[in-house]
Amino acid sequence: MNRKFITIGVGVVLLLLFFLYIVTGGNLPFYSMRVSSQVTSVHEATEIKLLVRTGVESEALRQLVPSFEKESGIHVQLIELARESYYSSVATQLFAGSNAFDLAFVPSTYIAQFSLAKVIQPLDPFIANPKLTDLQALDLEDFIISSSFENKLYALPTDVSTHLLYYRSDLISSPPQTWDEVIKLARQFTKLNNPDSPTKWGLGITGLAPEELPKMFDTILWSFGGDIIDTQGQIALDSVPSIKAGQWLQQLVLDKVVPPDVLSWGFADVREALNKGDFAMAVPYWNAAAGTMNGSGHVGNIKEALVPGVKGADGTVKRNSFQHSWELAINTNSMHPEEAWKFISYATGKQGGKLYAKAGGTPARKSLLADPDLQKLHPEFSLVMDSMQISRNEPVVSYYPLMINIQNEALTQILTLHQSPEIALTAAASKLRSLDIHDQIIRMNSKEEHNK
């Protein structure tokens, strides 16, 4: 079965689960809410369970567990799930009311639907409890990003991710400052256009579904002044600046400066091609690639810079980069919420965060990104700090999975040259407007239920 349709199917199932949860007030046929009498105190619990996706994040979290266990006396069991199925697995289990885990490692983009469905707990009561939290040590102001929804904090971040520009400094003396400069250089370093080019392709981008393609495009979209939902809360994917961003994206294919199978390229594929010397540039591309290049004589020549932008009439360059975070949230049905909070405050704190960074994570604290010892290990941390100053996250909406599917469909039409950017983005905007009406109804119903 086509991967795109599998992705759309998962998005539909998750949204239907969410809608059903809201409509029934949490009384799903398979949902069983745990009552407070089943929650044990911090002194009785000896183990908490953390649901996490396998990979760099789980390995980094594993490195800080021993010190937390020694300090707290609380044992932590990591339940690892495959990256490919993690999004659907964690959502399905939370909506089903599972108490098989106390904590979940969740993307910031899912906080809205999880909090509206009341399947994760607000952290404010734990933070306000002096027996559980030293506010000075927690230092919320130190976080470079946080996930609040409707004035409540539902999770704290362990990781931040943002987009950077990667370029071959032996071929390109200084990084391109605008998207127009990127295309010009990409033409120069694509063999189809220039037989003397030392690289096969001028540019590498991540076009893989479900979420690489929309996230990559968002950085371009915002730089052009376009948007998914504007500051007035209106769908803007069919605005003139948004369509210009789509035209720029399609030009990459028309000029043949990216591989023809770009929709199959993921993070690892682009990194490998940079290593091999097949790409002259990669942008927008994740900060996580910095410091991980290996196995190629070109590695020392690969440099990072801020993403390009669009030059205005006054000569200034408008840049915007995508950002999101991975966060720790407490399952509403956790048997040990206080112990779970203790782990969150440690893992995202300055001590645990430093251990996490040393193990390969990108901490969400300004003090850690600026830490001289950590910057020696991760020179890109300084650039990540700069990028976060110009970065944005996706709209916080309950229909996030379907929003991603709609964007994927439109961008796929653009990159396969099946539709013009104007037609594809106009159709996508129309679908998003229908979903946005449903989202407003859900939020209204949620507030009415809360006020009863």
Side-chain angles (χ1 to χ4, degrees), residues 104-164:
F105 191 62
V106 298
S108 55
T109 46
Y110 278 63
I111 297 297
Q113 60 177 326
F114 289 164
S115 58
L116 273 174
K118 300 182 177 127
V119 296
I120 57 175
Q121 299 189 33
L123 302 182
D124 307 84
F126 302 102
I127 294 172
N129 187 340
K131 293 182 180 179
L132 296 175
T133 306
D134 179 339
L135 290 176
Q136 185 173 358
L138 183 63
D139 192 6
L140 289 173
E141 295 298 319
D142 189 39
F143 285 101
I144 202 166
I145 185 175
S146 64
S147 288
S148 294
F149 183 71
E150 295 187 343
N151 299 317
K152 290 183 180 179
L153 186 66
Y154 282 92
L156 285 179
T158 58
D159 272 271
V160 292
S161 296
T162 187
H163 283 151
L164 302 175

Side-chain angles (χ1 to χ4, degrees), residues 228-251:
I228 305 169
I229 301 176
D230 65 22
T231 55
Q232 304 302 313
Q234 301 300 309
I235 303 298
L237 202 53
D238 53 353
S239 66
V240 171
S242 296
I243 292 170
K244 285 183 177 179
Q247 291 169 340
W248 185 92
L249 183 68
Q250 193 171 74
Q251 194 65 45

Side-chain angles (χ1 to χ4, degrees), residues 9 16 29 74 151 159 217 234 275 284 311 362 410 442:
L16 286 175
I74 301 167
N151 299 317
D159 272 271
F217 180 64
Q234 301 300 309
N275 276 339
K311 185 175 290 188
T362 303
I442 287 173

Side-chain angles (χ1 to χ4, degrees), residues 177-252:
Q177 299 301 302
T178 67
W179 295 111
D180 287 342
E181 291 175 14
V182 168
I183 281 194
K184 183 178 179 181
L185 285 167
R187 290 173 184 145
Q188 179 183 345
F189 290 106
T190 297
K191 274 194 178 295
L192 288 173
N193 299 323
N194 175 17
D196 295 328
S197 171
T199 55
K200 187 174 183 179
W201 306 104
L203 183 65
I205 59 174
T206 52
L208 187 65
E211 296 192 28
E212 285 283 6
L213 181 54
K215 287 174 167 52
M216 178 275 297
F217 180 64
D218 286 346
T219 286
I220 301 165
L221 175 73
W222 295 329
S223 298
F224 274 84
D227 218 331
I228 305 169
I229 301 176
D230 65 22
T231 55
Q232 304 302 313
Q234 301 300 309
I235 303 298
L237 202 53
D238 53 353
S239 66
V240 171
S242 296
I243 292 170
K244 285 183 177 179
Q247 291 169 340
W248 185 92
L249 183 68
Q250 193 171 74
Q251 194 65 45
L252 300 179

Side-chain angles (χ1 to χ4, degrees), residues 156-174:
L156 285 179
T158 58
D159 272 271
V160 292
S161 296
T162 187
H163 283 151
L164 302 175
L165 160 70
Y166 292 76
Y167 67 101
R168 285 274 301 277
S169 62
D170 56 326
L171 304 177
I172 301 169
S173 58
S174 60

